[in-house]
Amino acid sequence: LFVTCLIDSLYPNVGEATLSLLRKLDVEVTFPQGQTCCGHLPYSSGYQSDAKEMAKKFIAEFEGEESIVVPSGSCAAMIKQHYKEILRDEPELLSRHEEISTRTYEITDFIVNVLGVTDVRATNPGKVTYHESCHLLRDLGISDEPKALIANVEGAEFIEMEKADTCCGFGGMFSVENPGISMAILEEKMDAIKTTGADTVVANDMGCLMHIAGA
């Protein structure tokens, strides 16, 4: 389990829930104690050398693991896609990354496509809508897997929001550096959520959920 720094720092309950869910599905979970940030924030802020050091650290910590599960679309995309860019001038590290990348999964991808499970025996009565996180959808191409899991939650009525695949305005450092634009984008997302009448908003990235919840 790669827990991500946002979950570790602000939403530890999500990390605990991820651990409980994987164990419920009979997965033996280990947690490398030396893990840190994947490097997404420095990477998206232009600090390539800092991001490279974090990528090296991640590879060293996780390359002996059978599968690497990440409860975050943006962090999984950073590891699988963007490490290739920051390590392009280091062939030996790039080779090690390529091998790790094939065993790194965003959590819904792991549950549905590796474990072959679409029903995790969950219960949540009420109306549920789903926000498609940008990195999960565009970098990793994951869309059907989360919806399949939601569809099998007992008591849940899934209501698709209009423009579910548009950005919520978070974008990591984007929301800090461009707060006016970020909030304008978020207002459109909030209107779409309200129109569904949903009781619960689901997304696969705590950055998106933090941004939406903050409104």
PDB file of all heavy atoms in Angstrom, residues 114-152:
ATOM      1  N   VAL A 114      -7.523  -6.696 -11.409  1.00  0.00           N
ATOM      2  CA  VAL A 114      -6.562  -7.683 -10.910  1.00  0.00           C
ATOM      3  C   VAL A 114      -7.273  -8.736 -10.054  1.00  0.00           C
ATOM      4  O   VAL A 114      -7.126  -9.942 -10.285  1.00  0.00           O
ATOM      5  CB  VAL A 114      -5.434  -7.009 -10.092  1.00  0.00           C
ATOM      6  CG1 VAL A 114      -4.475  -8.064  -9.535  1.00  0.00           C
ATOM      7  CG2 VAL A 114      -4.675  -6.018 -10.964  1.00  0.00           C
ATOM      8  N   LEU A 115      -8.064  -8.268  -9.100  1.00  0.00           N
ATOM      9  CA  LEU A 115      -8.782  -9.224  -8.248  1.00  0.00           C
ATOM     10  C   LEU A 115     -10.028  -9.792  -8.928  1.00  0.00           C
ATOM     11  O   LEU A 115     -10.532 -10.833  -8.520  1.00  0.00           O
ATOM     12  CB  LEU A 115      -9.187  -8.553  -6.928  1.00  0.00           C
ATOM     13  CG  LEU A 115      -8.059  -8.008  -6.046  1.00  0.00           C
ATOM     14  CD1 LEU A 115      -8.642  -7.451  -4.746  1.00  0.00           C
ATOM     15  CD2 LEU A 115      -7.020  -9.077  -5.745  1.00  0.00           C
ATOM     16  N   GLY A 116     -10.539  -9.094  -9.944  1.00  0.00           N
ATOM     17  CA  GLY A 116     -11.739  -9.558 -10.633  1.00  0.00           C
ATOM     18  C   GLY A 116     -12.994  -9.386  -9.801  1.00  0.00           C
ATOM     19  O   GLY A 116     -13.956 -10.143  -9.925  1.00  0.00           O
ATOM     20  N   VAL A 117     -13.020  -8.349  -8.959  1.00  0.00           N
ATOM     21  CA  VAL A 117     -14.145  -8.112  -8.046  1.00  0.00           C
ATOM     22  C   VAL A 117     -14.855  -6.817  -8.435  1.00  0.00           C
ATOM     23  O   VAL A 117     -14.211  -5.794  -8.667  1.00  0.00           O
ATOM     24  CB  VAL A 117     -13.648  -8.003  -6.584  1.00  0.00           C
ATOM     25  CG1 VAL A 117     -14.777  -7.576  -5.653  1.00  0.00           C
ATOM     26  CG2 VAL A 117     -13.041  -9.311  -6.123  1.00  0.00           C
ATOM     27  N   THR A 118     -16.186  -6.862  -8.516  1.00  0.00           N
ATOM     28  CA  THR A 118     -16.960  -5.636  -8.713  1.00  0.00           C
ATOM     29  C   THR A 118     -17.944  -5.402  -7.574  1.00  0.00           C
ATOM     30  O   THR A 118     -18.602  -4.363  -7.526  1.00  0.00           O
ATOM     31  CB  THR A 118     -17.741  -5.670 -10.043  1.00  0.00           C
ATOM     32  OG1 THR A 118     -18.552  -6.847 -10.089  1.00  0.00           O
ATOM     33  CG2 THR A 118     -16.794  -5.645 -11.233  1.00  0.00           C
ATOM     34  N   ASP A 119     -18.047  -6.354  -6.665  1.00  0.00           N
ATOM     35  CA  ASP A 119     -18.928  -6.216  -5.504  1.00  0.00           C
ATOM     36  C   ASP A 119     -18.094  -6.421  -4.238  1.00  0.00           C
ATOM     37  O   ASP A 119     -17.656  -7.529  -3.946  1.00  0.00           O
ATOM     38  CB  ASP A 119     -20.053  -7.252  -5.578  1.00  0.00           C
ATOM     39  CG  ASP A 119     -21.100  -7.069  -4.470  1.00  0.00           C
ATOM     40  OD1 ASP A 119     -20.865  -6.264  -3.544  1.00  0.00           O
ATOM     41  OD2 ASP A 119     -22.139  -7.739  -4.531  1.00  0.00           O
ATOM     42  N   VAL A 120     -17.858  -5.328  -3.504  1.00  0.00           N
ATOM     43  CA  VAL A 120     -17.038  -5.414  -2.292  1.00  0.00           C
ATOM     44  C   VAL A 120     -17.909  -5.553  -1.037  1.00  0.00           C
ATOM     45  O   VAL A 120     -17.452  -5.345   0.074  1.00  0.00           O
ATOM     46  CB  VAL A 120     -16.104  -4.186  -2.155  1.00  0.00           C
ATOM     47  CG1 VAL A 120     -15.129  -4.134  -3.316  1.00  0.00           C
ATOM     48  CG2 VAL A 120     -16.897  -2.895  -2.036  1.00  0.00           C
ATOM     49  N   ARG A 121     -19.180  -5.906  -1.250  1.00  0.00           N
ATOM     50  CA  ARG A 121     -20.123  -6.159  -0.154  1.00  0.00           C
ATOM     51  C   ARG A 121     -20.298  -4.923   0.731  1.00  0.00           C
ATOM     52  O   ARG A 121     -20.265  -4.990   1.953  1.00  0.00           O
ATOM     53  CB  ARG A 121     -19.694  -7.381   0.668  1.00  0.00           C
ATOM     54  CG  ARG A 121     -19.452  -8.626  -0.172  1.00  0.00           C
ATOM     55  CD  ARG A 121     -19.180  -9.862   0.666  1.00  0.00           C
ATOM     56  NE  ARG A 121     -18.015  -9.759   1.513  1.00  0.00           N
ATOM     57  CZ  ARG A 121     -16.760  -9.924   1.097  1.00  0.00           C
ATOM     58  NH1 ARG A 121     -16.513 -10.172  -0.191  1.00  0.00           N
ATOM     59  NH2 ARG A 121     -15.747  -9.840   1.933  1.00  0.00           N
ATOM     60  N   ALA A 122     -20.489  -3.788   0.066  1.00  0.00           N
ATOM     61  CA  ALA A 122     -20.694  -2.520   0.767  1.00  0.00           C
ATOM     62  C   ALA A 122     -22.169  -2.144   0.764  1.00  0.00           C
ATOM     63  O   ALA A 122     -22.926  -2.560  -0.124  1.00  0.00           O
ATOM     64  CB  ALA A 122     -19.881  -1.413   0.111  1.00  0.00           C
ATOM     65  N   THR A 123     -22.569  -1.351   1.752  1.00  0.00           N
ATOM     66  CA  THR A 123     -23.943  -0.871   1.868  1.00  0.00           C
ATOM     67  C   THR A 123     -23.931   0.631   2.092  1.00  0.00           C
ATOM     68  O   THR A 123     -23.195   1.127   2.943  1.00  0.00           O
ATOM     69  CB  THR A 123     -24.660  -1.546   3.053  1.00  0.00           C
ATOM     70  OG1 THR A 123     -24.649  -2.962   2.862  1.00  0.00           O
ATOM     71  CG2 THR A 123     -26.099  -1.065   3.164  1.00  0.00           C
ATOM     72  N   ASN A 124     -24.732   1.354   1.303  1.00  0.00           N
ATOM     73  CA  ASN A 124     -24.834   2.803   1.494  1.00  0.00           C
ATOM     74  C   ASN A 124     -26.149   3.285   0.885  1.00  0.00           C
ATOM     75  O   ASN A 124     -26.206   3.601  -0.297  1.00  0.00           O
ATOM     76  CB  ASN A 124     -23.652   3.531   0.846  1.00  0.00           C
ATOM     77  CG  ASN A 124     -23.637   5.005   1.206  1.00  0.00           C
ATOM     78  OD1 ASN A 124     -23.227   5.388   2.286  1.00  0.00           O
ATOM     79  ND2 ASN A 124     -24.090   5.849   0.295  1.00  0.00           N
ATOM     80  N   PRO A 125     -27.213   3.321   1.666  1.00  0.00           N
ATOM     81  CA  PRO A 125     -28.499   3.753   1.124  1.00  0.00           C
ATOM     82  C   PRO A 125     -28.476   5.232   0.750  1.00  0.00           C
ATOM     83  O   PRO A 125     -27.902   6.057   1.457  1.00  0.00           O
ATOM     84  CB  PRO A 125     -29.470   3.489   2.274  1.00  0.00           C
ATOM     85  CG  PRO A 125     -28.629   3.495   3.507  1.00  0.00           C
ATOM     86  CD  PRO A 125     -27.304   2.964   3.089  1.00  0.00           C
ATOM     87  N   GLY A 126     -29.070   5.556  -0.387  1.00  0.00           N
ATOM     88  CA  GLY A 126     -29.142   6.946  -0.811  1.00  0.00           C
ATOM     89  C   GLY A 126     -28.667   7.139  -2.238  1.00  0.00           C
ATOM     90  O   GLY A 126     -28.269   6.196  -2.918  1.00  0.00           O
ATOM     91  N   LYS A 127     -28.723   8.382  -2.669  1.00  0.00           N
ATOM     92  CA  LYS A 127     -28.327   8.732  -4.029  1.00  0.00           C
ATOM     93  C   LYS A 127     -26.844   9.078  -4.074  1.00  0.00           C
ATOM     94  O   LYS A 127     -26.346   9.835  -3.246  1.00  0.00           O
ATOM     95  CB  LYS A 127     -29.160   9.918  -4.520  1.00  0.00           C
ATOM     96  CG  LYS A 127     -30.660   9.623  -4.602  1.00  0.00           C
ATOM     97  CD  LYS A 127     -31.436  10.861  -5.023  1.00  0.00           C
ATOM     98  CE  LYS A 127     -32.931  10.561  -5.104  1.00  0.00           C
ATOM     99  NZ  LYS A 127     -33.713  11.770  -5.493  1.00  0.00           N
ATOM    100  N   VAL A 128     -26.161   8.524  -5.074  1.00  0.00           N
ATOM    101  CA  VAL A 128     -24.715   8.696  -5.200  1.00  0.00           C
ATOM    102  C   VAL A 128     -24.381   9.233  -6.590  1.00  0.00           C
ATOM    103  O   VAL A 128     -24.916   8.761  -7.590  1.00  0.00           O
ATOM    104  CB  VAL A 128     -23.984   7.352  -4.989  1.00  0.00           C
ATOM    105  CG1 VAL A 128     -22.483   7.521  -5.189  1.00  0.00           C
ATOM    106  CG2 VAL A 128     -24.279   6.781  -3.604  1.00  0.00           C
ATOM    107  N   THR A 129     -23.501  10.227  -6.632  1.00  0.00           N
ATOM    108  CA  THR A 129     -22.999  10.701  -7.918  1.00  0.00           C
ATOM    109  C   THR A 129     -21.476  10.592  -7.919  1.00  0.00           C
ATOM    110  O   THR A 129     -20.855  10.477  -6.864  1.00  0.00           O
ATOM    111  CB  THR A 129     -23.459  12.142  -8.229  1.00  0.00           C
ATOM    112  OG1 THR A 129     -23.234  12.423  -9.612  1.00  0.00           O
ATOM    113  CG2 THR A 129     -22.740  13.167  -7.359  1.00  0.00           C
ATOM    114  N   TYR A 130     -20.888  10.632  -9.106  1.00  0.00           N
ATOM    115  CA  TYR A 130     -19.450  10.363  -9.249  1.00  0.00           C
ATOM    116  C   TYR A 130     -18.762  11.455 -10.052  1.00  0.00           C
ATOM    117  O   TYR A 130     -19.205  11.807 -11.152  1.00  0.00           O
ATOM    118  CB  TYR A 130     -19.255   9.006  -9.935  1.00  0.00           C
ATOM    119  CG  TYR A 130     -17.816   8.664 -10.262  1.00  0.00           C
ATOM    120  CD1 TYR A 130     -16.880   8.471  -9.248  1.00  0.00           C
ATOM    121  CD2 TYR A 130     -17.394   8.544 -11.578  1.00  0.00           C
ATOM    122  CE1 TYR A 130     -15.556   8.170  -9.540  1.00  0.00           C
ATOM    123  CE2 TYR A 130     -16.078   8.233 -11.885  1.00  0.00           C
ATOM    124  CZ  TYR A 130     -15.162   8.053 -10.865  1.00  0.00           C
ATOM    125  OH  TYR A 130     -13.856   7.757 -11.156  1.00  0.00           O
ATOM    126  N   HIS A 131     -17.688  11.998  -9.498  1.00  0.00           N
ATOM    127  CA  HIS A 131     -16.835  12.971 -10.192  1.00  0.00           C
ATOM    128  C   HIS A 131     -15.623  12.250 -10.766  1.00  0.00           C
ATOM    129  O   HIS A 131     -14.911  11.552 -10.044  1.00  0.00           O
ATOM    130  CB  HIS A 131     -16.381  14.068  -9.220  1.00  0.00           C
ATOM    131  CG  HIS A 131     -15.198  14.846  -9.716  1.00  0.00           C
ATOM    132  ND1 HIS A 131     -15.269  15.669 -10.830  1.00  0.00           N
ATOM    133  CD2 HIS A 131     -13.910  14.930  -9.258  1.00  0.00           C
ATOM    134  CE1 HIS A 131     -14.071  16.219 -11.029  1.00  0.00           C
ATOM    135  NE2 HIS A 131     -13.237  15.787 -10.100  1.00  0.00           N
ATOM    136  N   GLU A 132     -15.392  12.430 -12.067  1.00  0.00           N
ATOM    137  CA  GLU A 132     -14.267  11.778 -12.743  1.00  0.00           C
ATOM    138  C   GLU A 132     -13.003  12.626 -12.563  1.00  0.00           C
ATOM    139  O   GLU A 132     -12.862  13.673 -13.189  1.00  0.00           O
ATOM    140  CB  GLU A 132     -14.573  11.604 -14.231  1.00  0.00           C
ATOM    141  CG  GLU A 132     -15.871  10.854 -14.492  1.00  0.00           C
ATOM    142  CD  GLU A 132     -15.672   9.664 -15.398  1.00  0.00           C
ATOM    143  OE1 GLU A 132     -14.553   9.124 -15.454  1.00  0.00           O
ATOM    144  OE2 GLU A 132     -16.639   9.279 -16.050  1.00  0.00           O
ATOM    145  N   SER A 133     -12.103  12.180 -11.719  1.00  0.00           N
ATOM    146  CA  SER A 133     -10.859  12.908 -11.478  1.00  0.00           C
ATOM    147  C   SER A 133     -10.012  12.957 -12.743  1.00  0.00           C
ATOM    148  O   SER A 133      -9.885  11.957 -13.455  1.00  0.00           O
ATOM    149  CB  SER A 133     -10.069  12.243 -10.349  1.00  0.00           C
ATOM    150  OG  SER A 133     -10.845  12.207  -9.160  1.00  0.00           O
ATOM    151  N   CYS A 134      -9.413  14.115 -12.999  1.00  0.00           N
ATOM    152  CA  CYS A 134      -8.709  14.346 -14.268  1.00  0.00           C
ATOM    153  C   CYS A 134      -7.590  13.344 -14.538  1.00  0.00           C
ATOM    154  O   CYS A 134      -7.512  12.764 -15.621  1.00  0.00           O
ATOM    155  CB  CYS A 134      -8.142  15.758 -14.295  1.00  0.00           C
ATOM    156  SG  CYS A 134      -9.400  17.053 -14.420  1.00  0.00           S
ATOM    157  N   HIS A 135      -6.686  13.172 -13.570  1.00  0.00           N
ATOM    158  CA  HIS A 135      -5.541  12.292 -13.808  1.00  0.00           C
ATOM    159  C   HIS A 135      -5.969  10.835 -13.956  1.00  0.00           C
ATOM    160  O   HIS A 135      -5.396  10.090 -14.762  1.00  0.00           O
ATOM    161  CB  HIS A 135      -4.520  12.423 -12.676  1.00  0.00           C
ATOM    162  CG  HIS A 135      -3.869  13.768 -12.615  1.00  0.00           C
ATOM    163  ND1 HIS A 135      -4.229  14.729 -11.704  1.00  0.00           N
ATOM    164  CD2 HIS A 135      -2.888  14.318 -13.383  1.00  0.00           C
ATOM    165  CE1 HIS A 135      -3.498  15.812 -11.901  1.00  0.00           C
ATOM    166  NE2 HIS A 135      -2.680  15.599 -12.908  1.00  0.00           N
ATOM    167  N   LEU A 136      -6.959  10.437 -13.173  1.00  0.00           N
ATOM    168  CA  LEU A 136      -7.459   9.062 -13.255  1.00  0.00           C
ATOM    169  C   LEU A 136      -8.027   8.790 -14.644  1.00  0.00           C
ATOM    170  O   LEU A 136      -7.736   7.765 -15.267  1.00  0.00           O
ATOM    171  CB  LEU A 136      -8.533   8.836 -12.190  1.00  0.00           C
ATOM    172  CG  LEU A 136      -9.085   7.417 -12.104  1.00  0.00           C
ATOM    173  CD1 LEU A 136      -8.112   6.501 -11.374  1.00  0.00           C
ATOM    174  CD2 LEU A 136     -10.430   7.407 -11.382  1.00  0.00           C
ATOM    175  N   LEU A 137      -8.833   9.725 -15.136  1.00  0.00           N
ATOM    176  CA  LEU A 137      -9.502   9.542 -16.422  1.00  0.00           C
ATOM    177  C   LEU A 137      -8.553   9.754 -17.601  1.00  0.00           C
ATOM    178  O   LEU A 137      -8.456   8.906 -18.487  1.00  0.00           O
ATOM    179  CB  LEU A 137     -10.683  10.509 -16.523  1.00  0.00           C
ATOM    180  CG  LEU A 137     -11.460  10.509 -17.838  1.00  0.00           C
ATOM    181  CD1 LEU A 137     -12.137   9.161 -18.059  1.00  0.00           C
ATOM    182  CD2 LEU A 137     -12.498  11.629 -17.854  1.00  0.00           C
ATOM    183  N   ARG A 138      -7.815  10.855 -17.588  1.00  0.00           N
ATOM    184  CA  ARG A 138      -7.044  11.229 -18.775  1.00  0.00           C
ATOM    185  C   ARG A 138      -5.670  10.557 -18.853  1.00  0.00           C
ATOM    186  O   ARG A 138      -5.222  10.185 -19.928  1.00  0.00           O
ATOM    187  CB  ARG A 138      -6.915  12.750 -18.837  1.00  0.00           C
ATOM    188  CG  ARG A 138      -8.259  13.415 -19.126  1.00  0.00           C
ATOM    189  CD  ARG A 138      -8.237  14.913 -18.928  1.00  0.00           C
ATOM    190  NE  ARG A 138      -9.532  15.476 -19.276  1.00  0.00           N
ATOM    191  CZ  ARG A 138     -10.599  15.483 -18.487  1.00  0.00           C
ATOM    192  NH1 ARG A 138     -10.516  14.946 -17.275  1.00  0.00           N
ATOM    193  NH2 ARG A 138     -11.744  16.003 -18.876  1.00  0.00           N
ATOM    194  N   ASP A 139      -5.018  10.422 -17.708  1.00  0.00           N
ATOM    195  CA  ASP A 139      -3.694   9.794 -17.724  1.00  0.00           C
ATOM    196  C   ASP A 139      -3.770   8.270 -17.689  1.00  0.00           C
ATOM    197  O   ASP A 139      -2.953   7.592 -18.308  1.00  0.00           O
ATOM    198  CB  ASP A 139      -2.860  10.276 -16.532  1.00  0.00           C
ATOM    199  CG  ASP A 139      -2.340  11.682 -16.716  1.00  0.00           C
ATOM    200  OD1 ASP A 139      -2.511  12.232 -17.816  1.00  0.00           O
ATOM    201  OD2 ASP A 139      -1.766  12.246 -15.761  1.00  0.00           O
ATOM    202  N   LEU A 140      -4.747   7.740 -16.935  1.00  0.00           N
ATOM    203  CA  LEU A 140      -4.817   6.290 -16.745  1.00  0.00           C
ATOM    204  C   LEU A 140      -5.973   5.635 -17.506  1.00  0.00           C
ATOM    205  O   LEU A 140      -6.016   4.415 -17.612  1.00  0.00           O
ATOM    206  CB  LEU A 140      -4.954   5.973 -15.243  1.00  0.00           C
ATOM    207  CG  LEU A 140      -3.794   6.448 -14.361  1.00  0.00           C
ATOM    208  CD1 LEU A 140      -4.068   6.087 -12.899  1.00  0.00           C
ATOM    209  CD2 LEU A 140      -2.467   5.854 -14.810  1.00  0.00           C
ATOM    210  N   GLY A 141      -6.902   6.421 -18.012  1.00  0.00           N
ATOM    211  CA  GLY A 141      -8.016   5.864 -18.779  1.00  0.00           C
ATOM    212  C   GLY A 141      -8.980   5.047 -17.944  1.00  0.00           C
ATOM    213  O   GLY A 141      -9.642   4.138 -18.457  1.00  0.00           O
ATOM    214  N   ILE A 142      -9.080   5.364 -16.652  1.00  0.00           N
ATOM    215  CA  ILE A 142      -9.961   4.603 -15.758  1.00  0.00           C
ATOM    216  C   ILE A 142     -11.255   5.358 -15.544  1.00  0.00           C
ATOM    217  O   ILE A 142     -11.258   6.489 -15.049  1.00  0.00           O
ATOM    218  CB  ILE A 142      -9.255   4.339 -14.407  1.00  0.00           C
ATOM    219  CG1 ILE A 142      -8.043   3.432 -14.609  1.00  0.00           C
ATOM    220  CG2 ILE A 142     -10.228   3.728 -13.394  1.00  0.00           C
ATOM    221  CD1 ILE A 142      -7.190   3.250 -13.378  1.00  0.00           C
ATOM    222  N   SER A 143     -12.373   4.732 -15.922  1.00  0.00           N
ATOM    223  CA  SER A 143     -13.689   5.341 -15.768  1.00  0.00           C
ATOM    224  C   SER A 143     -14.745   4.309 -15.394  1.00  0.00           C
ATOM    225  O   SER A 143     -15.546   4.524 -14.491  1.00  0.00           O
ATOM    226  CB  SER A 143     -14.107   6.039 -17.077  1.00  0.00           C
ATOM    227  OG  SER A 143     -15.393   6.576 -16.968  1.00  0.00           O
ATOM    228  N   ASP A 144     -14.736   3.166 -16.077  1.00  0.00           N
ATOM    229  CA  ASP A 144     -15.763   2.144 -15.847  1.00  0.00           C
ATOM    230  C   ASP A 144     -15.598   1.453 -14.499  1.00  0.00           C
ATOM    231  O   ASP A 144     -16.602   1.044 -13.881  1.00  0.00           O
ATOM    232  CB  ASP A 144     -15.727   1.098 -16.963  1.00  0.00           C
ATOM    233  CG  ASP A 144     -16.121   1.665 -18.310  1.00  0.00           C
ATOM    234  OD1 ASP A 144     -16.813   2.711 -18.328  1.00  0.00           O
ATOM    235  OD2 ASP A 144     -15.732   1.090 -19.333  1.00  0.00           O
ATOM    236  N   GLU A 145     -14.367   1.296 -14.037  1.00  0.00           N
ATOM    237  CA  GLU A 145     -14.117   0.523 -12.813  1.00  0.00           C
ATOM    238  C   GLU A 145     -14.776   1.132 -11.577  1.00  0.00           C
ATOM    239  O   GLU A 145     -15.486   0.426 -10.840  1.00  0.00           O
ATOM    240  CB  GLU A 145     -12.599   0.365 -12.596  1.00  0.00           C
ATOM    241  CG  GLU A 145     -11.919  -0.526 -13.622  1.00  0.00           C
ATOM    242  CD  GLU A 145     -11.510   0.181 -14.886  1.00  0.00           C
ATOM    243  OE1 GLU A 145     -11.959   1.338 -15.103  1.00  0.00           O
ATOM    244  OE2 GLU A 145     -10.748  -0.398 -15.684  1.00  0.00           O
ATOM    245  N   PRO A 146     -14.614   2.431 -11.318  1.00  0.00           N
ATOM    246  CA  PRO A 146     -15.292   3.008 -10.159  1.00  0.00           C
ATOM    247  C   PRO A 146     -16.811   2.899 -10.245  1.00  0.00           C
ATOM    248  O   PRO A 146     -17.479   2.621  -9.242  1.00  0.00           O
ATOM    249  CB  PRO A 146     -14.838   4.474 -10.175  1.00  0.00           C
ATOM    250  CG  PRO A 146     -13.576   4.478 -10.962  1.00  0.00           C
ATOM    251  CD  PRO A 146     -13.735   3.405 -11.984  1.00  0.00           C
ATOM    252  N   LYS A 147     -17.348   3.104 -11.439  1.00  0.00           N
ATOM    253  CA  LYS A 147     -18.796   3.045 -11.618  1.00  0.00           C
ATOM    254  C   LYS A 147     -19.321   1.627 -11.390  1.00  0.00           C
ATOM    255  O   LYS A 147     -20.419   1.432 -10.859  1.00  0.00           O
ATOM    256  CB  LYS A 147     -19.171   3.531 -13.020  1.00  0.00           C
ATOM    257  CG  LYS A 147     -18.863   5.013 -13.243  1.00  0.00           C
ATOM    258  CD  LYS A 147     -19.138   5.407 -14.690  1.00  0.00           C
ATOM    259  CE  LYS A 147     -18.652   6.807 -14.983  1.00  0.00           C
ATOM    260  NZ  LYS A 147     -18.827   7.171 -16.409  1.00  0.00           N
ATOM    261  N   ALA A 148     -18.542   0.629 -11.811  1.00  0.00           N
ATOM    262  CA  ALA A 148     -18.946  -0.769 -11.582  1.00  0.00           C
ATOM    263  C   ALA A 148     -19.016  -1.075 -10.091  1.00  0.00           C
ATOM    264  O   ALA A 148     -19.928  -1.773  -9.633  1.00  0.00           O
ATOM    265  CB  ALA A 148     -17.962  -1.718 -12.265  1.00  0.00           C
ATOM    266  N   LEU A 149     -18.071  -0.543  -9.331  1.00  0.00           N
ATOM    267  CA  LEU A 149     -18.072  -0.762  -7.880  1.00  0.00           C
ATOM    268  C   LEU A 149     -19.243  -0.042  -7.225  1.00  0.00           C
ATOM    269  O   LEU A 149     -19.902  -0.586  -6.333  1.00  0.00           O
ATOM    270  CB  LEU A 149     -16.745  -0.292  -7.280  1.00  0.00           C
ATOM    271  CG  LEU A 149     -15.525  -1.129  -7.670  1.00  0.00           C
ATOM    272  CD1 LEU A 149     -14.242  -0.418  -7.281  1.00  0.00           C
ATOM    273  CD2 LEU A 149     -15.585  -2.506  -7.018  1.00  0.00           C
ATOM    274  N   ILE A 150     -19.527   1.192  -7.659  1.00  0.00           N
ATOM    275  CA  ILE A 150     -20.665   1.941  -7.112  1.00  0.00           C
ATOM    276  C   ILE A 150     -21.969   1.218  -7.417  1.00  0.00           C
ATOM    277  O   ILE A 150     -22.871   1.131  -6.568  1.00  0.00           O
ATOM    278  CB  ILE A 150     -20.701   3.367  -7.686  1.00  0.00           C
ATOM    279  CG1 ILE A 150     -19.496   4.176  -7.195  1.00  0.00           C
ATOM    280  CG2 ILE A 150     -22.003   4.079  -7.295  1.00  0.00           C
ATOM    281  CD1 ILE A 150     -19.314   5.514  -7.899  1.00  0.00           C
ATOM    282  N   ALA A 151     -22.085   0.675  -8.627  1.00  0.00           N
ATOM    283  CA  ALA A 151     -23.321   0.007  -9.043  1.00  0.00           C
ATOM    284  C   ALA A 151     -23.679  -1.181  -8.158  1.00  0.00           C
ATOM    285  O   ALA A 151     -24.852  -1.554  -8.049  1.00  0.00           O
ATOM    286  CB  ALA A 151     -23.199  -0.445 -10.500  1.00  0.00           C
ATOM    287  N   ASN A 152     -22.676  -1.771  -7.510  1.00  0.00           N
ATOM    288  CA  ASN A 152     -22.914  -2.945  -6.681  1.00  0.00           C
ATOM    289  C   ASN A 152     -22.949  -2.635  -5.191  1.00  0.00           C
ATOM    290  O   ASN A 152     -22.934  -3.556  -4.369  1.00  0.00           O
ATOM    291  CB  ASN A 152     -21.850  -4.003  -6.967  1.00  0.00           C
ATOM    292  CG  ASN A 152     -22.097  -4.707  -8.290  1.00  0.00           C
ATOM    293  OD1 ASN A 152     -23.162  -5.251  -8.530  1.00  0.00           O
ATOM    294  ND2 ASN A 152     -21.108  -4.662  -9.173  1.00  0.00           N
TER     295      ASN A 152
END
